[in-house]
DNA sequence: TTCCTTGCAAATCGTTTGCATAATG
DNA sequence: CATTATGCAAACGATTTGCAAGGAA
């Protein structure tokens, strides 16, 4: 399976690299369309999946049913706002202690763990004088 | 929002209580259908959502894009097999240390965290012999 | 010229919802 | 009786896929 460069894929990578939040496929689509008005959603999905498969980006599944994508593939934790759904990086050292602990007495191979934190982001706290009914599908 | 008992809902709860794995809506549907041949998938979804909302069961989102449901609402960790997709309980004490650590220096409210472990379950290890890392998101 | 990539549209998958009818309290 | 729950089917949103045409090596 040999890769051939494409301007669309380059543009998708470039856009992702420019953002510190973690855009969804649709956000990527809307933005890349400004440089490539004819690009299709399918192409965006195909490239995001491909880039994730070869390890150039990370696919984030944070429980809202929508995939988010992160240009930063180094291990770090994420925070998900239950009100607005925004995803951001957390400044918290990554520890493998829990994974190690989980291996104890488990008959099977534990390769890793997924952890994300949820709550209310700063912006939503400040807005919250007015009550927002919009809840995301995160466990309470 | 008053509840009225229904045989279908009882049956769904009963089925869920009988399983230590964490069935999807479809699995619940297929099984409950043996007692209620006319039950619809919609009813199963409606009841699972309702039960999760009132806290009688837990909705599990483990990154496979399919919701799993757990009759056990007490806090505990889960293991997801990357090969067969099965979800099982882990015998690992729940700690809030990570959540506490995450709150440090974060401008926003962290309410909790979601953690699950992944790898290969015992059954899949025995079936797969030597070929190990091949199935893991690598391009074909 | 090979075969990877694209745009487009249709298809898929899990889940939700509108509606008329049935069941519950 | 006033509501809530159901079965059915259609609608939904996110993602994938088949195909013919375009583009890179």
């Amino acid at each position: 399976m040999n890769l051939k460069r494409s301007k669309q894929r380059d543009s998708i990578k470039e856009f992702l690299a420019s953002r510190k939040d973690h855009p969804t496929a649709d956000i990527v689509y809307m933005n890349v369309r400004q440089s490539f008005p004819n690009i299709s959603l399918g192409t965006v999905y195909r490239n995001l999946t491909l880039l994730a498969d070869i390890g150039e980006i990370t696919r984030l599944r944070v429980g809202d049913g929508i995939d988010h994508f992160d240009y930063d593939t180094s291990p770090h934790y994420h925070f998900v706002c239950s009100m607005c759904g925004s995803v951001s990086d957390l400044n918290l050292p990554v520890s493998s202690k829990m994974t190690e602990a989980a291996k104890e007495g488990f008959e099977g191979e534990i390769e890793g763990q997924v952890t994300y934190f949820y709550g209310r982001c700063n912006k939503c706290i400040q807005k919250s004088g007015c009550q927002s009914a919009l809840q995301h599908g995160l466990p309470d």
Side-chain angles (χ1 to χ4, degrees), chain A:
Chain A
M1 202 254 220
N2 250 324
L3 275 200
K4 270 173 187 171
R5 164 178 286 233
S6 86
K7 310 191 177 217
Q8 288 89 334
R9 179 153 60 234
D10 286 349
S11 181
I12 288 168
K13 281 173 63 175
E14 188 190 338
F15 170 69
L16 228 41
S18 79
R19 303 265 294 218
K20 62 179 191 319
D21 64 342
H22 310 283
T24 61
D26 211 68
I27 301 282
V28 173
Y29 173 56
M30 290 193 301
N31 279 274
V32 171
R33 204 148 52 139
Q34 285 165 22
S35 327
F36 293 85
N38 290 328
I39 198 173
S40 73
L41 236 195
T43 295
V44 172
Y45 273 106
R46 256 185 302 237
N47 277 300
L48 290 172
T49 298
L50 187 156
L51 291 169
D53 283 349
I54 64 179
E56 291 202 21
I57 65 176
T58 304
R59 185 193 297 261
L60 258 39
R61 297 190 152 152
V62 294
D64 62 355
I66 312 172
D67 287 358
H68 296 250
F69 296 89
D70 192 345
Y71 190 76
D72 179 1
T73 57
S74 72
H76 58 284
Y77 295 111
H78 294 103
F79 172 81
V80 185
C81 178
S82 316
M83 296 187 89
C84 68
S86 69
V87 181
S88 49
D89 287 338
L90 262 170
N91 190 17
L92 177 66
V94 172
S95 136
S96 59
K97 271 166 61 181
M98 239 182 140
T99 305
E100 297 310 314
K103 288 177 182 170
E104 307 266 324
F106 177 73
E107 54 291 286
E109 271 178 23
I110 291 185
E111 289 167 10
Q113 77 180 69
V114 172
T115 294
Y116 57 88
F117 299 84
Y118 59 89
R120 289 193 303 163
C121 74
N122 210 17
K123 276 187 188 165
C124 285
I125 290 175
Q126 281 159 6
K127 280 186 212 152
S128 67
C130 18
Q131 28 172 296
S132 152
L134 271 180
Q135 274 285 41
H136 253 263
L138 290 167
D140 321 72

